[in-house]
Amino acid sequence: MASPDSSTHRVPNEKHHISGIEGTAHEAAERGHAATDRYGNALVHFDPVAERKLRLKIDLMIVPTVALLYLFCFIDRANIGNAKLAGLEKELHMAGYDYNIVLSCFYISYILFEIPANMLCKKIGPGWFIPGTTLLFGICSFGTAFVHNFSAMCGVRFVLGIFEAGMLPGIAYYLSRWYRRSELAFRLSLYIVMAPLAGAFGGLLASGILKLESVGSLRSWRMIFVIEGIITCGLAIIGFFTLTDRPATAKWLTQEERDLAIARVKSERVGTTEVLDKIDTAKMLKGIFSPMTLLTSFIFLLDNVTVQGLAFFLPTIVRTIYPKNTVVSQQLRTVPPYIVGAFFTVLVPFASWRLDNRTWLFILSAPFMMTGYIMFLASTEAQVRYGATFLITTGAFSFGALTNAQVSANVVSDTARAAAIGTNVMFGNIGGLISTWAFLPFDTPNYHIGNGLNLATASVILLLSIGMYFFVKIDNKKRESKDIDSELDGLSDKAIQDLDWKHPAFRWRA
């Protein structure tokens, strides 16, 4: 029986030295060739300097476009909170739970289309799908400016949910084509940070728009939707020209750099012979029903009760804290907590990249949210409650990057990865649906029900994250005792690839 070490130490061949890669790198980058042995050890060695240069090039060419598109994705979703302050409810004759129902309409379609949208993204390619769906939800946001009753608002929000469903998981899946597992969380944070920035920038933009007298015949809250919708459509058109579908088609990379980009991602996927496989039902189900996918997704569900609740209700919460302030002043008060949240949205995943660990950061983030909601429940002082919003955004906003990176790191094939990320975001948006009913009109101004619910979800996140840590330790120890050769003997290459996370050489990543 061959030892694991015998297949990983190869003599460098100068003929195959490609942009800092030694050995069989060129072959590893091609379809039909594995970049690991059957024990999960990489067959290719990489020059860290060449990798660093390539990574920076990818960062500069890929991340800014998707970050900007996601910024306006979140603005187009959350601007209804700003519109509410500017008179939307009064003009559309909404009362009671009508606002909560409008928010729920968005999440119903958003949840239903999450996984199908991400599989469609894989099928037609992110380079076309991401700007295409951005254009559609930009048009939908623009159209929101012309609704005149509650039913029409429900309808337009339902359609908006269909078109936005593929953005968060689609971009996460897209970036997984370019980055190693340890690198992914930080790169995800560079676009997910646009969610809290959208809260800050959206408040500033809305307050600026509301200072205009009119846009054509449109006034007050309608101006918010029409202007932000036009900006979104313009950015989507630019995206068609700037997004590169995958490393193999990147004209801004040399052939050597393309080989390096493909081989280094492939070298982390045990038994994989092609980075972009065809959609396969067995692999898709492996991605959806991986225990790590389900556990992480439930954590994201709980976290999103807080994150989406802030997106829709922070302006309302600020109004209860500072009821005598002007509408513009209340809009501006929503900005600082989002700025703090944005800082930690990047800082925490950066720590994840350096530590190559996400579970400990789940555990450390949850107490910030718990403390914030305890402050809300324990005090009615304006400064205490406003201070609590800073603690909550500190703990909550990094989970979007961390959870998507976690499910991506714990499956093998591209199909399983697309399905796992789609599942994670789908669960997260079930949390978003719950959040639309967390802050109810009869519970104002102190919102004991909403704050109590969020304290409970943050507490469960802490317990589940500790459980995840021990699951990884215990199950990986069991996997160490497996006889890899005997379990793989007699299996075809396809059967081995279909094992995905059930491959005996696979190890869970914390």
Side-chain angles (χ1 to χ4, degrees):
M1 182 178 74
S3 69
D5 291 334
S6 66
S7 56
T8 58
H9 298 293
R10 295 177 179 265
V11 178
N13 184 338
E14 289 300 321
K15 184 173 68 173
H16 290 118
H17 184 86
I18 299 175
S19 187
I21 318 177
E22 296 177 340
T24 58
H26 186 62
E27 290 85 351
E30 294 181 335
R31 293 173 67 91
H33 292 269
T36 71
D37 61 16
R38 60 172 21 193
Y39 308 99
N41 299 305
L43 297 174
V44 188
H45 301 278
F46 302 94
D47 176 358
V49 175
E51 270 203 278
R52 188 162 56 248
K53 289 180 179 177
L54 173 66
R55 190 167 55 233
L56 178 60
K57 200 169 184 179
I58 295 170
D59 287 342
L60 294 175
M61 295 300 293
I62 294 297
V63 175
T65 298
V66 295
L68 197 56
L69 294 179
Y70 190 67
L71 171 66
F72 276 86
C73 171
F74 209 87
I75 285 175
D76 287 350
R77 176 192 318 175
N79 56 12
I80 192 170
N82 302 110
K84 181 186 179 188
L85 278 187
L88 177 146
E89 284 184 302
K90 183 177 180 181
E91 189 171 338
L92 298 186
H93 307 292
M94 292 165 58
Y97 300 115
D98 286 351
Y99 181 70
N100 304 81
I101 293 170
V102 167
L103 298 183
S104 297
C105 288
F106 170 85
Y107 276 107
I108 291 169
S109 56
Y110 200 61
I111 292 165
L112 291 175
F113 287 88
E114 204 74 67
I115 294 176
N118 218 34
M119 301 315 294
L120 182 63
C121 178
K122 174 178 169 58
K123 186 173 181 62
I124 68 177
W128 289 100
F129 177 85
I130 292 172
T133 201
T134 301
L135 180 62
L136 291 171
F137 69 68
I139 293 170
C140 193
S141 180
F142 179 87
T144 307
F146 300 93
V147 303
H148 290 283
N149 55 62
F150 167 69
S151 299
M153 181 60 78
C154 288
V156 79
R157 292 293 292 185
F158 185 87
V159 175
L160 182 69
I162 295 174
F163 295 142
E164 285 204 3
M167 279 297 285
L168 177 58
I171 297 174
Y173 162 67
Y174 177 50
L175 294 182
S176 75
R177 291 184 169 191
W178 297 85
Y179 292 105
R180 286 181 177 270
R181 290 177 299 200
S182 61
E183 301 164 353
L184 186 59
F186 178 59
R187 273 69 194 183
L188 293 180
S189 77
L190 294 178
Y191 87 87
I192 290 176
V193 71
M194 293 302 160
L197 286 181
F201 181 63
L204 290 171
L205 185 58
S207 62
I209 291 171
L210 290 173
K211 290 180 180 179
L212 300 174
E213 185 176 340
S214 65
V215 176
S217 61
L218 302 175
R219 295 177 181 276
S220 68
W221 61 270
R222 297 181 186 276
M223 297 188 299
I224 296 174
F225 289 108
V226 75
I227 291 175
E228 292 176 358
I230 290 171
I231 295 172
T232 301
C233 291
L235 292 173
I237 292 169
I238 294 171
F240 281 112
F241 297 97
T242 57
L243 280 187
T244 303
D245 200 60
R246 59 191 182 278
T249 61
K251 294 180 180 178
W252 41 271
L253 294 177
T254 65
Q255 184 58 51
E256 290 79 9
E257 289 171 330
R258 287 194 285 270
D259 288 337
L260 173 57
I262 296 168
R264 75 193 200 100
V265 171
K266 205 177 194 182
S267 69
E268 295 188 320
R269 302 182 183 179
V270 58
T272 297
T273 58
E274 53 188 0
V275 173
L276 301 181
D277 58 340
K278 293 181 180 179
I279 293 177
D280 179 285
T281 302
K283 293 176 184 174
M284 185 173 70
L285 293 176
K286 289 286 196 316
I288 294 171
F289 293 107
S290 160
M292 189 63 77
T293 298
L294 295 175
L295 180 56
T296 305
S297 297
F298 190 61
I299 288 173
F300 193 39
L301 182 157
L302 297 170
D303 177 70
N304 244 22
V305 173
T306 295
V307 172
Q308 301 296 343
L310 284 176
F312 294 123
F313 293 103
L314 185 57
T316 303
I317 293 168
V318 168
R319 183 170 62 186
T320 66
I321 297 174
Y322 300 103
K324 296 181 180 179
N325 288 26
T326 65
V327 171
V328 170
S329 174
Q330 290 168 351
Q331 298 275 15
L332 293 175
R333 286 274 188 177
T334 67
V335 174
Y338 277 117
I339 296 295
V340 171
F343 175 75
F344 282 94
T345 297
V346 175
L347 178 65
V348 175
F350 180 80
S352 166
W353 174 25
R354 294 308 185 190
L355 298 171
D356 193 13
N357 188 286
R358 290 152 296 277
T359 307
W360 272 111
L361 297 169
F362 292 167
I363 294 170
L364 293 173
S365 295
F368 284 94
M369 292 186 282
M370 294 166 64
T371 304
Y373 284 109
I374 288 171
M375 290 167 65
F376 263 121
L377 290 166
S379 176
T380 56
E381 280 291 320
Q383 295 304 317
V384 173
R385 294 167 73 82
Y386 189 56
T389 64
F390 289 84
L391 288 175
I392 294 164
T393 57
T394 294
F397 278 91
S398 62
F399 277 83
L402 294 176
T403 57
N404 279 299
Q406 182 72 341
V407 297
S408 177
N410 283 288
V411 291
V412 178
S413 69
D414 190 67
T415 295
R417 183 166 285 100
I421 293 171
T423 301
N424 184 58
V425 179
M426 182 191 74
F427 269 70
N429 288 299
I430 293 173
L433 178 60
I434 294 169
S435 77
T436 64
W437 293 93
F439 297 91
L440 300 169
F442 70 83
D443 203 25
T444 188
N446 294 323
Y447 294 111
H448 290 111
I449 294 173
N451 293 323
L453 172 65
N454 279 278
L455 174 59
T457 58
S459 302
V460 176
I461 286 172
L462 178 61
L463 295 175
L464 290 178
S465 300
I466 294 170
M468 178 184 290
Y469 171 78
F470 285 107
F471 166 76
V472 169
K473 296 270 289 185
I474 293 169
D475 201 63
N476 279 349
K477 191 171 183 179
K478 289 180 181 177
R479 288 169 179 261
E480 292 290 345
S481 63
K482 291 185 176 183
D483 186 337
I484 294 173
D485 291 292
S486 64
E487 291 203 23
L488 297 181
D489 280 348
L491 296 180
S492 66
D493 287 344
K494 184 181 185 307
I496 291 174
Q497 290 184 45
D498 284 347
L499 289 172
D500 207 87
W501 53 268
K502 291 188 175 182
H503 193 292
F506 178 85
R507 298 292 182 270
W508 301 112
R509 301 289 290 261

